[in-house]
Amino acid sequence: MAEFSRGFGARRRASDPQLPPGQYLTDDFPVLSAGPTPRIRIEDWQFAIRTETGATTTWTWDEIHALPIEDVHTDIHCVTRWSKFGTSWRGVSVDTLLADIDSAAPSVMAHSYGGYSTNVPVKDLMGGKAWVVFEFDGEPLAPEHGGPARLLVPHLYFWKSAKWVRGLVLQSRDEPGFWEQNGYNMHGDPWREERYW
């Protein structure tokens, strides 16, 4: 069950071409989570990528910060119909993380501290489309927004941008994650309103 941690004001901009169909624009940053907020110490944080053959590559907090870091400015869209324009993030591109990974898998399951998971096609994570981010608006990412690090896949609904991300598992077939098992769409393109089954 989603927890709505605080209210937010929103307004509709039906004629704005930046706004996907069925969405409302908000200046707030609503907090919606499935379950309690995990609190992960930086010294305990680790990120792993496991391939379909079981080969695993891991990074500590310091190791991932030694990789090329990118600034990302993008709009975000939640399946609950709010959109937020011009958000600013810093993090490492998934392209960088997958660069030396030997895999032909077409799908990824993102896993989070706290047990959340969500599936994403590999093609939606590559080509400058996705990042593991640890800053928002110039500040360390707050726990309620997924800190210390979350996945950012801004061209899909925001439930695909897994909070408190701890790893990606490359898999040979697409499998549903947490919300997908509970009725959410397997892909989640906001421009096609891929919200639910």
Side-chain angles (χ1 to χ4, degrees), residues 58-137:
T58 62
W59 294 266
T60 65
W61 187 257
D62 289 341
E63 288 169 341
I64 206 164
H65 280 74
L67 298 174
I69 293 174
E70 298 181 9
D71 292 307
V72 184
H73 305 284
T74 187
D75 303 337
I76 57 176
H77 312 286
C78 181
V79 71
T80 59
R81 300 188 182 276
W82 62 263
S83 290
K84 184 174 177 64
F85 288 169
T87 61
S88 296
W89 310 81
R90 294 196 85 207
V92 175
S93 169
V94 175
D95 292 309
T96 298
L97 298 170
L98 290 176
D100 296 324
I101 303 292
D102 184 16
S103 171
S107 184
V108 161
M109 187 69 75
H111 291 273
S112 299
Y113 291 92
Y116 179 78
S117 62
T118 189
N119 61 309
V120 186
V122 170
K123 66 182 180 183
D124 281 299
L125 297 178
M126 302 293 291
K129 296 178 181 174
W131 297 263
V132 172
V133 294
F134 33 78
E135 288 187 22
F136 173 73
D137 265 355

Side-chain angles (χ1 to χ4, degrees), residues 116-188:
Y116 179 78
S117 62
T118 189
N119 61 309
V120 186
V122 170
K123 66 182 180 183
D124 281 299
L125 297 178
M126 302 293 291
K129 296 178 181 174
W131 297 263
V132 172
V133 294
F134 33 78
E135 288 187 22
F136 173 73
D137 265 355
E139 300 289 338
L141 188 59
E144 62 268 27
H145 289 304
R150 73 180 297 161
L151 191 62
L152 178 66
V153 193
H155 68 287
L156 299 180
Y157 283 125
F158 218 41
W159 91 80
K160 297 292 185 179
S161 297
K163 294 180 177 180
W164 317 294
V165 70
R166 65 178 173 85
L168 305 177
V169 175
L170 292 147
Q171 45 193 28
S172 300
R173 50 179 289 189
D174 195 16
E175 301 280 350
F178 177 83
W179 284 120
E180 294 82 12
Q181 293 179 42
N182 288 282
Y184 281 35
N185 189 275
M186 289 288 281
H187 186 227

